[in-house]
Amino acid sequence: MKARIDYTNVPEALRGMYQLEHYIHNSGLEESLVHLVKMRASQINGCAYCLDLHSKDARALGETEQRLYVLDAWEEAPFYSEREGAALARLTPSPGSRKAMCPTRSSSAHERTSMNRS
């Protein structure tokens, strides 16, 4: 698996992503919540690269396997806080907007390549 866009060739995009990351990490949100939100956005987008990346980041900060496995059905699970639920609820996609948030989802060639893993 690899990223679908080589951001080294698009410095403006990379700069914007760094600025967004800086803002998010200085917003007062707990790192654990930031990673849950990124993981949920990746589920909605169906991006294997991002799911792999964000699940590793979340686990490195102590997130449990159980909470990551059940994240797709967070509304029915008893182990997400009210604050986490409020943040996750904001990610509910509107009809037709699925996969619109993922910056790595732009190359259909990469999608075909990532589907043919060995």
Side-chain angles (χ1 to χ4, degrees):
M1 247 179 315
K2 64 179 184 174
R4 294 182 177 125
I5 296 175
D6 179 3
Y7 289 104
T8 59
N9 294 327
V10 190
E12 312 82 50
L14 190 58
R15 191 174 319 110
M17 288 177 63
Y18 283 140
Q19 289 172 337
L20 179 60
E21 281 292 311
H22 177 76
Y23 177 80
I24 290 169
H25 291 284
N26 290 292
S27 69
L29 292 175
E30 311 85 61
E31 285 295 309
S32 59
L33 180 54
V34 169
H35 287 293
L36 277 181
V37 166
K38 287 181 177 184
M39 183 79 180
R40 181 66 186 127
S42 299
Q43 288 176 332
I44 292 167
N45 294 325
C47 182
Y49 175 83
C50 290
L51 281 166
D52 183 60
L53 175 75
H54 299 311
S55 65
K56 288 175 183 173
D57 290 344
R59 283 194 310 271
L61 288 174
E63 187 58 74
T64 67
E65 297 290 322
Q66 181 185 36
R67 286 170 37 101
L68 292 177
Y69 293 155
V70 183
L71 186 57
D72 198 31
W74 66 269
E75 292 171 296
E76 299 176 24
F79 36 78
Y80 298 100
S81 71
E82 189 173 320
R83 181 174 168 82
E84 290 167 337
L88 295 169
R90 301 285 302 200
L91 292 173
T92 303
S94 57
S97 67
R98 185 176 168 100
K99 300 179 183 169
M101 294 182 278
C102 182
T104 64
R105 272 190 104 59
S106 68
S107 169
S108 59
H110 176 74
E111 287 174 326
R112 286 191 302 272
T113 303
S114 66
M115 297 299 284
N116 298 323
R117 291 177 271 159
S118 36

